[in-house]
Amino acid sequence: AQSVTQLGSHVSVSEGALVLLRCNYSSSVPPYLFWYVQYPNQGLQLLLKYTTGATLVKGINGFEAEFKKSETSFHLTKPSAHMSDAAEYFCAVRSPTGANNLFFGTGTRLTVIP
Amino acid sequence: EPEVTQTPSHQVTQMGQEVILRCVPISNHLYFYWYRQILGQKVEFLVSFYNNEISEKSEIFDDQFSVERPDGSNFTLKIRSTKLEDSAMYFCASSLGAGITDTQYFGPGTRLTVL
């Protein structure tokens, strides 16, 4: 069974500061990993995903995430926060075999302070 | 850019009433999903649907729930007799295929409040 833990339901950063949103997963096999973002009144939008290969994955809007198998982590980072990054961020996993449904974390609300 | 739409954005109902949540997936997509998020909890998978059949469902998706694709564009989730604990945000999603390269595209959600 897969599960995801997102540490910190709320994260605040200053504009221009580093963004770090944490995600740890539990899976019996190396899963596929995803970050989704939800802006107000919009659907969840895929930021990036890891399947196989290079462990550092680059996504849209300057975000990237690194798959660390030894730490069972897939933390999301961005070097410099922008006001437009304020949103809810969801980490998710999916089994590489079988069903294609996603298992999500509880989400992290990012606030960017001017 | 094509997007998944959901109506209504907010639904308020009395306990025991039936509700139907509606979704219009992206037009050429073949796989459809419902997820829900109870306030403060994880987004949870409910059901996936392909070729007019349920392909996967979670333990949450009991006999009170049903899904239907009544025409070529809509995908609905029906809750027959709502309970207080059904209050949640319900997300519809669709994807072109079921492979790892097939991104699931989500709608903005319907907030269901059961009184």
Side-chain angles (χ1 to χ4, degrees), chain A residues 3-5 32 34 36 38 41-44 46 49 51 90 94 99-102 104-106, chain B residues 31 33 35 37 40-43 45 56 91 95 97-104 106-108:
Chain A
S3 68
V4 170
T5 301
Y32 297 144
F34 305 78
Y36 278 82
Q38 185 181 29
N41 300 315
Q42 297 184 29
L44 280 71
L46 182 67
K49 66 183 176 187
T51 55
F90 295 91
R94 176 196 149 174
N100 61 340
N101 48 288
L102 298 171
F104 284 87
T106 49
Chain B
Y31 290 79
Y33 314 82
Y35 293 81
Q37 185 182 28
Q41 298 184 26
K42 298 185 177 188
V43 176
F45 168 75
E56 299 285 340
F91 293 103
S95 64
I100 191 54
T101 58
D102 293 299
T103 298
Q104 292 184 27
F106 285 77

Side-chain angles (χ1 to χ4, degrees), chain A:
Chain A
Q2 293 90 43
S3 68
V4 170
T5 301
Q6 289 185 243
L7 288 176
S9 58
H10 289 86
V11 170
S12 293
V13 300
S14 297
E15 191 175 14
L18 171 72
V19 176
L20 171 60
L21 304 182
R22 298 179 187 275
C23 172
N24 288 88
Y25 68 88
S26 173
S27 176
S28 55
V29 296
Y32 297 144
L33 295 154
F34 305 78
W35 275 100
Y36 278 82
V37 60
Q38 185 181 29
Y39 299 104
N41 300 315
Q42 297 184 29
L44 280 71
Q45 177 184 2
L46 182 67
L47 265 181
L48 49 78
K49 66 183 176 187
Y50 169 79
T51 55
T52 58
T55 56
L56 183 62
V57 181
K58 294 188 185 300
I60 61 173
N61 302 337
F63 284 92
E64 59 185 34
E66 186 170 12
F67 169 59
K68 292 187 176 180
K69 184 178 177 182
S70 61
E71 298 177 7
T72 61
S73 69
F74 191 57
H75 301 331
L76 181 71
T77 60
K78 181 174 180 178
S80 177
H82 193 273
M83 295 298 294
S84 60
D85 295 327
E88 184 109 24
Y89 292 80
F90 295 91
C91 183
V93 300
R94 176 196 149 174
S95 170
T97 60
N100 61 340
N101 48 288
L102 298 171
F103 294 87
F104 284 87
T106 49
T108 298
R109 182 165 298 281
L110 177 67
T111 300
V112 182
I113 303 165

